[in-house]
Amino acid sequence: MQALYSFNFSRADSLSTEMLRKFPGHYLSHFTRSQYLWWLIITHPESPELENQYYQTLAQSLSSIQEYMGPNKSYEHTFYFINIYAMQARLFLKRKEYLRTIISLRNCINEIEASLGKESLYPPFFLSSGMYNYMSEYAKKKLPFLALYTLLYPKGNMVLGLEQLKAASTSGQMVWETEATYLLMKIYLELEQNHVLALQLARQLAETYPENLIYQWHYLQALELMQATEEARLLKTEIRNLARNSRGISSAQRAYFISLFRQ
């Protein structure tokens, strides 16, 4: 994950391949590989082959965790079930396969329901509970067609959700800290319209991972929304140069980002 956040895709490929070679039956090997594939998908738009690999890897991770845990389901197992189902839903939503999206979300929420209130016992739950509490209540308030569906599951709480995501973002666990910070940034940028907080978080991500063109893109968006015109102009030039000279990305990724920042 450190390699992915740093946009060193060749390193991430090598490490995840080695994990699969050494631990072919462990769910974390397949889960880690699926993370690598997702980052390829979002930096290689419109790649059905990558999407199919991603789906198969998630399916293998799900099968492996079910075999690995046996009759003893731990909090860690529950957490990874949540993530795997959520990652499936993300792919199905991208493909506009809405029935499969709903099925994966239902499975995800069933696992979340078993974890709510247990955050102090297993801190990574702050991430999953925070996202659920915020997004379920947001969907109920902002998306009326989902209101009836949300009645079937535990009531959310947007304020609590933000607090839980903030706890995850300062947990000291690098992956969950980064993921929670990114989610908070997206929420403040796109849903809460709190551009001041969004800018702070986007700057934090961009400074922590200066090679990450996705994080730099969001930082640029936040600057533009804050009308920091000159700073945004300078950053855009820096990002274009970074995209041209980055050693950790492929030629296809480089072309994509150069075209993106030409806009």
Side-chain angles (χ1 to χ4, degrees):
M1 294 305 297
Q2 182 74 40
L4 286 175
Y5 295 146
S6 300
F7 255 48
N8 191 339
F9 287 89
S10 58
R11 177 68 172 158
D13 184 17
S14 175
L15 288 170
S16 62
T17 299
E18 183 68 5
M19 278 188 70
L20 283 170
R21 187 186 68 80
K22 288 185 174 180
F23 311 104
H26 201 289
Y27 61 91
L28 282 178
S29 297
H30 299 283
F31 181 82
T32 302
R33 187 65 178 178
S34 66
Q35 292 279 14
Y36 163 71
L37 290 168
W38 179 255
W39 277 84
L40 285 185
I41 288 168
I42 62 176
T43 56
H44 284 83
E46 307 306 323
S47 178
E49 181 181 351
L50 281 174
E51 291 180 6
N52 289 334
Q53 289 179 38
Y54 173 76
Y55 174 74
Q56 293 300 326
T57 306
L58 284 176
Q60 185 60 57
S61 184
L62 190 60
S63 175
S64 296
I65 195 172
Q66 289 167 337
E67 293 176 11
Y68 188 86
M69 73 179 185
N72 302 311
K73 187 176 183 181
S74 69
Y75 289 147
E76 179 179 308
H77 297 142
T78 297
F79 182 70
Y80 280 97
F81 273 124
I82 291 169
N83 278 274
I84 292 166
Y85 288 130
M87 290 165 72
Q88 282 183 339
R90 180 168 59 183
L91 173 64
F92 296 145
L93 185 61
K94 181 180 184 298
R95 289 177 163 182
K96 299 182 180 179
E97 297 177 14
Y98 298 121
L99 179 58
R100 298 179 81 184
T101 301
I102 290 172
I103 292 171
S104 291
L105 284 175
R106 184 181 63 194
N107 290 332
C108 180
I109 293 171
N110 287 341
E111 296 292 336
I112 289 175
E113 190 169 6
S115 70
L116 290 172
K118 298 182 175 66
E119 296 80 17
S120 61
L121 300 174
Y122 187 70
F125 284 148
F126 278 113
L127 177 62
S128 52
S129 297
M131 194 62 181
Y132 174 80
N133 273 313
Y134 182 88
M135 291 307 301
S136 63
E137 194 63 14
Y138 178 87
K140 181 179 177 180
K141 291 182 176 181
K142 303 293 186 179
L143 305 171
F145 66 94
L146 286 177
L148 185 61
Y149 181 74
T150 61
L151 293 176
L152 301 173
Y153 295 102
K155 181 177 174 59
N157 183 318
M158 292 171 70
V159 174
L160 176 61
L162 289 175
E163 291 174 354
Q164 290 173 326
L165 286 173
K166 288 173 186 174
S169 74
T170 56
S171 65
Q173 299 182 22
M174 183 270 292
V175 173
W176 311 130
E177 235 182 41
T178 304
E179 296 296 321
T181 301
Y182 180 76
L183 288 170
L184 281 170
M185 182 273 296
K186 292 279 283 183
I187 286 170
Y188 286 128
L189 187 69
E190 298 172 3
L191 305 182
E192 292 288 313
Q193 301 295 309
N194 187 331
H195 299 150
V196 173
L197 287 180
L199 179 60
Q200 292 174 5
L201 294 167
R203 180 182 289 118
Q204 178 184 328
L205 288 167
E207 290 177 350
T208 304
Y209 300 104
E211 302 294 318
N212 190 308
L213 290 161
I214 297 288
Y215 295 162
Q216 295 291 349
W217 168 248
H218 288 302
Y219 184 26
L220 178 61
Q221 285 182 306
L223 283 172
E224 290 174 342
L225 288 169
M226 290 293 292
Q227 298 184 337
T229 308
E230 182 59 19
E231 192 175 353
R233 185 186 67 79
L234 293 173
L235 178 61
K236 199 167 189 177
T237 300
E238 290 177 12
I239 296 173
R240 285 196 193 110
N241 291 333
L242 176 61
R244 291 189 186 98
N245 300 318
S246 177
R247 296 180 180 179
I249 61 177
S250 68
S251 57
Q253 288 171 307
R254 183 173 292 105
Y256 167 67
F257 281 107
I258 289 173
S259 67
L260 181 66
F261 292 112
R262 190 178 291 133
Q263 298 173 11

